[in-house]
Amino acid sequence: QIQKIMFGNDLPATVPARTGKVDVASLPKRGTVNREWLDIAAKKQTRPSKNMYAEPEEEYWGDDASNIPGKSYRPQERRHDEKEPPRYGQGPEEFDEGFPLDPAGPYAHISSFPTNAMVNQPVKFDGSKSHDCDNQPVKKYVWDFGDGSPQVTTTGPYTTHPYKKPQVYPVTLVVTDKYGKHAQAGLNQRVNDPKNPLPPYAQLDSDPPTQYVKKPVKFDASKSHDGDKQ
């Protein structure tokens, strides 16, 4: 009857009708509150053990801060991993900040300096304005300099490259973000021969680079110039 009161229909012990024996293996473990009270009910001990009690810290209730003395049982909650320290009470809420189900792709941007280079002059390429949908730097940059040389992969947004012949070279940059998504940007890199001026250079920028539907975007072509940088 005590077991039914304490455990309801999920009895921890089986009592066969014929033998009256108890399945000891299914009883609560010794040293727990439930086992203590079962042993008291079975008259195997007269009172709970002293180590089952813990003196509580002072507790104050109500506006008058009156102290209520008493005793409390030690926590009996089970641990998922015995190697882990016990966890009692309430702590801060934890949230799993995983990747979004379908994040937007990254934004790729490339610029060069000088925009009008000379033969064999190192040209500095800059992809630092590229970012992912969280406005964080992308993870990989793949550069194609447009002159038939091998592509270059970097984890940083800068690289340099010289050109051996005067020409306009189509340079492309492909970026990859932390979600594995890609974006591409490009420009035409001018390499000059002083004796044979090249056609005009055109550059177009937008501000902001990403925008909501029906919101204004400012376009800027002020960095365009002719072969004499005019």
Side-chain angles (χ1 to χ4, degrees):
Q1 184 65 27
I2 292 177
Q3 295 182 40
K4 289 183 178 181
I5 294 174
M6 296 180 66
F7 301 101
N9 294 327
D10 299 327
L11 296 180
T14 303
V15 184
R18 296 183 180 179
T19 61
K21 294 182 180 180
V22 177
D23 184 6
V24 178
S26 65
L27 291 174
K29 293 182 179 180
R30 291 191 180 278
T32 62
V33 175
N34 292 338
R35 184 58 179 270
E36 287 273 309
W37 284 106
L38 287 176
D39 288 344
I40 292 172
K43 297 182 179 181
K44 293 184 178 180
Q45 63 185 73
T46 58
R47 64 184 66 183
S49 304
K50 292 182 179 181
N51 62 359
M52 295 302 296
Y53 287 111
E55 293 295 336
E57 297 179 358
E58 292 186 354
E59 297 181 4
Y60 297 93
W61 300 76
D63 296 334
D64 58 352
S66 59
N67 185 31
I68 300 179
K71 292 185 177 182
S72 62
Y73 283 108
R74 296 184 186 276
Q76 299 292 322
E77 65 180 24
R78 292 185 178 182
R79 307 177 206 165
H80 293 291
D81 186 348
E82 294 296 332
K83 296 180 181 179
E84 292 289 330
R87 300 172 184 174
Y88 308 125
Q90 295 181 351
E93 295 182 352
E94 296 182 357
F95 298 92
D96 180 14
E97 298 182 355
F99 288 164
L101 295 179
D102 188 17
Y107 166 75
H109 183 277
I110 184 175
S111 62
S112 66
F113 181 82
T115 57
N116 200 5
M118 304 301 291
V119 174
N120 293 325
Q121 179 183 8
V123 179
K124 180 180 179 181
F125 293 99
D126 181 354
S128 61
K129 292 184 179 180
S130 303
H131 57 78
D132 63 17
C133 63
D134 302 316
N135 285 325
Q136 299 298 316
V138 296
K139 297 299 183 181
K140 186 172 70 172
Y141 304 79
V142 180
W143 311 85
D144 188 331
F145 303 111
D147 59 352
S149 61
Q151 291 183 343
V152 173
T153 300
T154 64
T155 55
Y158 304 105
T159 190
T160 59
H161 184 74
Y163 292 91
K164 298 180 179 180
K165 296 180 180 180
Q167 189 177 325
V168 177
Y169 295 93
V171 182
T172 58
L173 169 63
V174 177
V175 299
T176 305
D177 64 13
K178 61 178 176 284
Y179 303 114
K181 294 200 170 187
H182 310 283
Q184 179 175 312
L187 59 77
N188 290 326
Q189 178 59 43
R190 295 160 54 89
V191 180
N192 280 337
D193 181 352
K195 297 179 180 180
N196 298 306
L198 292 172
Y201 168 78
Q203 178 172 331
L204 178 65
D205 294 316
S206 63
D207 182 29
T210 58
Q211 182 59 288
Y212 294 103
V213 175
K214 296 185 178 180
K215 295 292 183 179
V217 178
K218 180 180 179 181
F219 294 97
D220 181 3
S222 62
K223 294 181 181 180
S224 304
H225 55 76
D226 62 17
D228 297 325
K229 296 187 177 180
Q230 300 297 320

